[in-house]
Amino acid sequence: MSSGPAVAAALTFVWLGMVLAISFLEAPLKFRAPGVTLQIGLGIGRLVFRALNSTEVLIAVGILVALAPSRPSVGVVVTLAIAFVALVVQLAGVRPRLTRRSDAVLAGQNAARSRAHYIYVALEVIKIVALVFGGILLLSS
């Protein structure tokens, strides 16, 4: 394996680990901590997910740069494209809706739970599957 695909594989698995740790471990657990109100949890969540999403974009760019000089297989291209598209949909389509809801809750309004949250989680699952398969395909190339 040349250095480009090796770097891309490493970045893919770092991205995967971050999504798993933050979206499926930190996010639900913070609301169980003593004294964490919905408003505090949402405030923390907004900061954490803004940082996660910014880091995901940087990692995605790093993967593209690492793979640019090589000719990755169709499987690698497809799986990573799925992860990239899921991230773009989260950032452009889902996050703004979640931000509006959290703005309302933080302003003291009684906002109903948004279905956008479930869409975001579904996109996280899609991203995880794509990153697992993309990383495996990169390692096997």
Side-chain angles (χ1 to χ4, degrees), residues 50-112:
R50 188 177 305 127
L52 171 64
N53 293 150
S54 297
T55 304
E56 286 181 285
V57 169
L58 291 174
I59 290 172
V61 169
I63 291 169
L64 290 173
V65 168
L67 290 177
S70 64
R71 295 185 56 90
S73 71
V74 172
V76 167
V77 171
V78 168
T79 56
L80 293 179
I82 290 169
F84 296 166
V85 168
L87 177 60
V88 169
V89 171
Q90 285 176 313
L91 295 176
V94 183
R95 279 278 310 273
R97 292 169 58 189
L98 291 173
T99 298
R100 283 191 297 275
R101 180 192 179 268
S102 63
D103 285 344
V105 171
L106 292 171
Q109 299 172 9
N110 189 12

